[in-house]
């Protein structure tokens, strides 16, 4: 499986971009007190106002909740702890410093962000004060982030009028903690960086072939040594941290392939591979022919559904090798019984439909899958979201949407583009 995003590379790239920018200073100047990303409507003025650190405060004039009050404390620290130095050249009104930022949220706070969350906001900075208006608390968070970006040297801000809303409802980043275990603190730094750039979905590829750092499977499936496991409290801590920043956490448990680490702790889950009619000691994907497989999956994903509040779970489905299935005599017998002939894509379809029924009908969750399931000719539920990650994505998107599925594009947005393994050493 090609590593879709590596957080370590994310922070390395930021450092590289900073170094690279130093070579471009003759032609490109950094923006000062400008928002990122560019709002839908952005009208700065030459009027500069002062903020009084000793008296400045945020004030909720509409609905409020723990998300908003926590954001007030966080952004006051962000704003006045900055070390960036800038002296305004325009008229600064030091006698009439702005002391209050009024934030009005129209609707009662949702418990968690969702695909349908309203992130729109209006922001005004003028001589009459600082005002952020938002329909929902998630828009207020985006407005507070923009406000913090407008301030320079702790004290100064341009007069500004902004109307903003995201172009895309799903703006995600994927981290892979199976191949590269990331501590809770590093994951939180990643979430913080997402909030600064107004991303709203943390796609957590939490287990894979190399390791399963997750309860139940972790005793035998995680990397050796202490500290390579996420406890239930760790997971809830990360979800809560992301929630305060308006970021959804979508877990990915990729099956039926990429499950070697699962098999270490779950007996009889994986397919035994045969050579010349005998078990050769190797294991392949999850065995779709056993009823016990679906009993386990329902129990496992029920726990996942209860732990992760988001309405979606990513179920993987990429890069399933049919070789081991083809070698197994029990699966060959099952294929004949089900009238699948030699079409192993039908076996994959059988597995995925059973899994989607568990997730959708029994657990009442939505689901995402990788594009290979569709590429292999398998039919899935009409409400499945198909994520495209391979080259040729334009044609792939056209094919998938023509079939009536919703799609999610990640193909052209890699932060790392590796052939495989530890190319980062180069």
């Amino acid at each position: 499986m090609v590593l879709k995003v590596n957080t370590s590379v994310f922070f390395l790239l930021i450092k590289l971009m900073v170094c690279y920018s130093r070579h471009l200073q003759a032609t490109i100047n950094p923006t000062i007190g400008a928002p990122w990303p560019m709002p839908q409507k952005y009208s700065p003025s030459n009027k500069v106002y002062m903020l009084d650190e000793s008296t400045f405060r945020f004030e909720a004039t509409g609905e409020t909740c723990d998300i908003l009050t926590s954001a007030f404390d966080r952004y006051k620290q962000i704003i006045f702890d900055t070390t960036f130095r800038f002296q305004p050249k325009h008229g600064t009104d030091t006698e009439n410093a702005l002391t209050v930022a009024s934030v009005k949220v129209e609707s009662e706070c949702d418990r968690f962000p969702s695909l349908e969350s309203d992130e729109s906001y209006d922001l005004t900075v003028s001589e009459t004060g600082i005002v952020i208006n938002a329909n929902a608390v998630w828009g207020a968070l985006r407005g507070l982030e923009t406000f913090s970006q407008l301030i320079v040297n702790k004290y100064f801000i341009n007069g500004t009028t902004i109307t903003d809303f995201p172009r895309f409802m799903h703006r995600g980043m994927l981290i892979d903690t199976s191949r590269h275990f990331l501590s809770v603190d590093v994951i939180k730094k990643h979430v913080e960086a997402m909030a600064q750039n107004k991303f709203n979905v943390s796609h957590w590829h939490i287990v894979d072939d190399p390791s399963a750092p997750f309860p139940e499977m972790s005793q035998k499936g995680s990397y050796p040594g202490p500290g390579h496991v996420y406890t239930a409290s760790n997971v809830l801590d990360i979800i809560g941290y992301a929630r305060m920043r308006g970021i959804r956490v979508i877990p990915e448990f990729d099956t039926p392939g990429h499950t070697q680490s699962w098999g270490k702790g779950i007996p009889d889950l994986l397919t035994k591979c045969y050579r010349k009619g005998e078990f050769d000691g190797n294991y392949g994907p999850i065995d779709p022919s056993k009823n016990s497989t679906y009993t386990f999956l329902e129990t496992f994903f029920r726990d996942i559904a209860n732990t992760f509040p988001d309405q979606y779970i990513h179920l993987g489905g990429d890069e399933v090798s049919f070789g081991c299935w083809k070698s197994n005599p029990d699966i060959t017998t099952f294929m004949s019984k089900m009238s699948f002939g030699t079409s192993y894509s039908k076996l994959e379809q059988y597995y995925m439909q059973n899994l989607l029924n568990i997730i959708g009908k029994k657990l009442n969750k939505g689901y995402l899958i990788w594009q290979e399931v569709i590429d292999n000719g398998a039919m899935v539920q009409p409400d499945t979201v198909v994520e495209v990650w391979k080259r040729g994505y334009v044609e792939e998107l056209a094919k998938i949407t023509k079939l009536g599925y919703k799609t999610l594009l990640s193909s052209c947005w890699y932060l790392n583009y590796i052939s495989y393994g530890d190319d980062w050493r180069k």
Side-chain angles (χ1 to χ4, degrees), residues 334-351:
F334 180 79
M335 294 275 289
S336 177
K337 177 183 175 182
M338 298 298 293
S339 300
F340 291 164
T342 58
S343 175
Y344 287 86
S345 64
K346 290 183 179 179
L347 182 63
E348 182 182 27
Q349 175 176 290
Y350 173 83
Y351 171 84

Side-chain angles (χ1 to χ4, degrees), residues 104-320:
K104 184 176 182 180
V105 176
E106 296 290 345
S107 60
E108 185 177 346
C109 296
D110 296 319
R111 175 71 177 156
F112 287 95
S114 69
L115 179 64
E116 294 78 23
S117 291
D118 187 341
E119 298 175 83
S120 63
Y121 66 92
D122 295 314
L123 168 62
T124 303
V125 179
S126 68
E127 65 275 3
T128 59
I130 303 159
V131 178
I132 298 173
N133 289 320
N135 294 323
V137 69
W138 317 115
L141 291 180
R142 307 301 174 233
L144 287 166
E145 176 60 39
T146 297
F147 172 62
S148 73
Q149 295 169 353
L150 299 178
I151 299 168
V152 292
N153 198 29
K154 300 185 182 181
Y155 303 110
F156 300 103
I157 185 170
N158 277 82
T160 308
T161 301
I162 289 175
T163 296
D164 198 17
F165 55 88
R167 181 182 176 192
F168 298 107
M169 299 175 73
H170 182 121
R171 306 178 305 283
M173 296 283 292
L174 184 153
I175 57 172
D176 184 331
T177 59
S178 171
R179 295 172 181 83
H180 308 275
F181 184 87
L182 301 174
S183 69
V184 172
D185 285 343
V186 168
I187 292 176
K188 285 182 176 180
K189 287 180 180 179
H190 179 80
V191 170
E192 189 68 46
M194 291 177 61
Q196 291 173 10
N197 292 275
K198 302 186 177 80
F199 282 81
N200 68 349
V201 178
S202 177
H203 177 162
W204 190 0
H205 187 93
I206 194 167
V207 302
D208 207 287
D209 285 330
S211 73
F214 197 71
E216 185 170 355
M217 298 179 291
S218 62
Q219 288 186 347
K220 296 183 178 180
S222 65
Y223 284 124
H228 291 147
V229 174
Y230 301 107
T231 65
S233 61
N234 290 154
V235 173
L236 293 176
D237 184 23
I238 291 168
I239 293 171
Y241 190 88
R243 168 183 174 262
M244 289 296 181
R245 288 151 182 81
I247 294 173
R248 302 160 56 199
V249 179
I250 297 181
E252 180 187 352
F253 294 91
D254 194 356
T255 69
H258 296 284
T259 50
Q260 292 299 300
S261 64
W262 298 44
K264 295 178 180 179
I266 311 298
D268 300 322
L269 179 67
L270 303 184
T271 303
K272 291 183 176 180
C273 304
Y274 281 70
R275 183 182 178 87
K276 296 181 179 180
E278 294 185 358
F279 173 48
D280 66 5
N282 295 312
Y283 292 89
I286 286 177
D287 189 335
S289 68
K290 295 180 178 179
N291 291 331
S292 60
T293 291
Y294 304 104
T295 301
F296 162 74
L297 290 173
E298 182 173 347
T299 301
F300 175 76
F301 278 106
R302 188 175 299 279
D303 183 44
I304 299 304
N306 290 333
T307 301
F308 290 87
D310 199 81
Q311 69 265 47
Y312 284 96
I313 300 174
H314 203 303
L315 303 176
D318 63 328
E319 299 176 326
V320 180

Side-chain angles (χ1 to χ4, degrees), residues 15 27 29 43-44 68 74 77 99 102 107 196 246 253 288 304 323 331 337 350 379 399 404-405:
K15 292 178 181 178
T27 55
N29 295 318
S43 302
L68 193 59
R74 185 168 68 252
Q77 183 176 6
T99 59
S102 298
S107 60
Q196 291 173 10
F253 294 91
I304 299 304
I331 288 186
K337 177 183 175 182
Y350 173 83
M379 299 296 294
K399 179 181 74 175
Y405 300 117

